[in-house]
Amino acid sequence: MASPKTHRSGFAALIGRPNVGKSTLLNALTGEKIAIVSPKPQTTRNRILGVVTRPEGQVAFIDTPGIHQAKGELNRYMVEVALQAAEEVELVLFLIEPPASEKPEVSPGNRAILERLQKIGKPTFLVINKIDSVAKGQLLPLIDLYRQEFPFAEVVPISAREKDGVERLFHTVLEHLPEGANVFDEDMLTDQQERALAAEYIREQVLRHCRQEIPYSTAVVVDIFDESEREPRPGTPPNQLGGLIRIAASIFVERDSQKAIIIGKQGQMLKTIGTDARKSVQRLLGAHVYLDLRVRVEPRWSERPEGLKKLGYD
């Protein structure tokens, strides 16, 4: 643990394949829901900053999209976002999960990531997530195997979901960062604007409720974020909502058939998505929320650079 007299600060990127728990870990580290979480791949599309500040130091963690085979403009964009983040930080946290079989192995996807990290040349931790799902005896052979592949600075087994080992991970990260003052104000948690977080919370409900082929083709844009009736009340308990915020958002898909699925029979699916999204956004904003959702078709947006730019991926 860092000495109380030594104040450290810096950036650490969470890197890994899709669905290894990077967003769950970011939320566990910050104690807040900054990144949406879903069992479906490619949930995270942009880099998300989460800042943890303690008396002994400050770590700015950057959650990144899962690195996967980049086919199509959106996939290439997400992989580039992740690799660029790894180049800009002091420390990389490479997340993996234990293999389903008892025999340890380095998957082709993880080996490809390690090759890129070798070229980047930043100090790297091996963070083995989801240790609650395997016997402890399986971890040592896995650690030995990965240490043969890459000169990791540290190996830290955790369960982000159970918050097991998360505090130890934070302090170990802090020990490897340079001495220095905080990069951000002490009360800063994330650089995500409320408008952007609201859009993500809406997309989270699409991921939750819709079929496998729909989420990947979905993007959400907040068209109106009207706070004119909001009532800021410092010190108000979080369960007491202050005022009203009016939000209008567009859910973009690529085909008319996808639009029909999201709307559902007699609009029931869209109503369900809206109801659950509104509850999440209200908790986030501490105010009553009027949420108006529309579903729009933007053909092949995920395949076209101009489509990505139009929907905020640039």
Side-chain angles (χ1 to χ4, degrees), residues 64-76:
T64 66
I67 298 177
H68 55 289
Q69 190 172 6
K71 293 182 178 179
E73 287 297 322
L74 180 58
N75 281 320
R76 280 192 285 271

Side-chain angles (χ1 to χ4, degrees), residues 19 36 52 70 75 85-86 88 114-115 122 132 134 146 163 166 176 187 193 198 200 255 257 260 312:
N19 291 107
I36 65 172
V52 181
N75 281 320
E88 296 173 354
L114 289 174
E115 289 173 359
K122 295 295 178 74
D132 54 309
V134 295
Y146 269 86
K163 297 184 173 60
V166 171
H176 285 260
D187 59 352
Q193 300 296 318
E200 283 292 273
R255 298 191 297 273
S257 59

Side-chain angles (χ1 to χ4, degrees), residues 241-287:
L241 304 179
L244 175 68
I245 298 175
R246 299 179 186 273
I247 300 174
S250 297
I251 301 173
F252 284 90
V253 292
E254 297 185 313
R255 298 191 297 273
D256 287 325
S257 59
Q258 295 169 338
K259 177 179 179 179
I261 291 170
I262 289 181
I263 293 175
K265 188 176 182 180
Q266 297 180 333
Q268 191 57 46
M269 177 63 78
L270 186 61
K271 181 179 179 181
T272 299
I273 291 169
T275 298
D276 289 348
R278 182 176 57 80
K279 293 176 183 176
S280 296
V281 175
Q282 283 187 165
R283 286 193 293 269
L284 167 72
L285 301 178

Side-chain angles (χ1 to χ4, degrees), residues 6-12 50-61 90 170 173-174 177-178 180-189:
T6 302
H7 192 281
R8 300 178 182 273
S9 67
F11 289 80
V51 183
V52 181
T53 303
R54 305 280 180 80
E56 63 270 29
Q58 183 185 78
V59 184
F61 293 96
E90 284 89 2
F170 171 79
V173 167
L174 202 58
L177 293 179
N182 290 343
V183 179
F184 300 100
D185 292 340
E186 289 188 11
D187 59 352
M188 181 167 177
L189 182 65

Side-chain angles (χ1 to χ4, degrees), residues 155-265:
V155 177
V156 186
I158 67 164
S159 170
R161 183 179 63 181
E162 302 297 329
K163 297 184 173 60
D164 181 9
V166 171
E167 190 69 12
R168 174 174 172 254
L169 175 62
F170 171 79
H171 286 289
T172 308
V173 167
L174 202 58
E175 289 174 357
H176 285 260
L177 293 179
E179 294 184 23
N182 290 343
V183 179
F184 300 100
D185 292 340
E186 289 188 11
D187 59 352
M188 181 167 177
L189 182 65
T190 182
D191 61 349
Q192 300 292 298
Q193 300 296 318
E194 289 180 339
R195 187 183 188 116
L197 285 168
E200 283 292 273
Y201 279 25
I202 295 166
R203 187 166 68 89
E204 181 179 44
Q205 296 307 320
V206 177
L207 291 169
R208 177 184 172 196
H209 290 291
C210 291
R211 295 181 192 172
Q212 187 68 35
E213 71 273 15
I214 297 296
Y216 181 79
S217 302
T218 302
V220 177
V221 175
V222 171
D223 305 306
I224 298 172
F225 193 90
D226 181 2
E227 301 179 85
S228 60
E229 299 172 69
R230 194 173 191 173
E231 298 174 7
R233 291 184 284 182
T236 299
N239 61 336
Q240 294 184 20
L241 304 179
L244 175 68
I245 298 175
R246 299 179 186 273
I247 300 174
S250 297
I251 301 173
F252 284 90
V253 292
E254 297 185 313
R255 298 191 297 273
D256 287 325
S257 59
Q258 295 169 338
K259 177 179 179 179
I261 291 170
I262 289 181
I263 293 175
K265 188 176 182 180

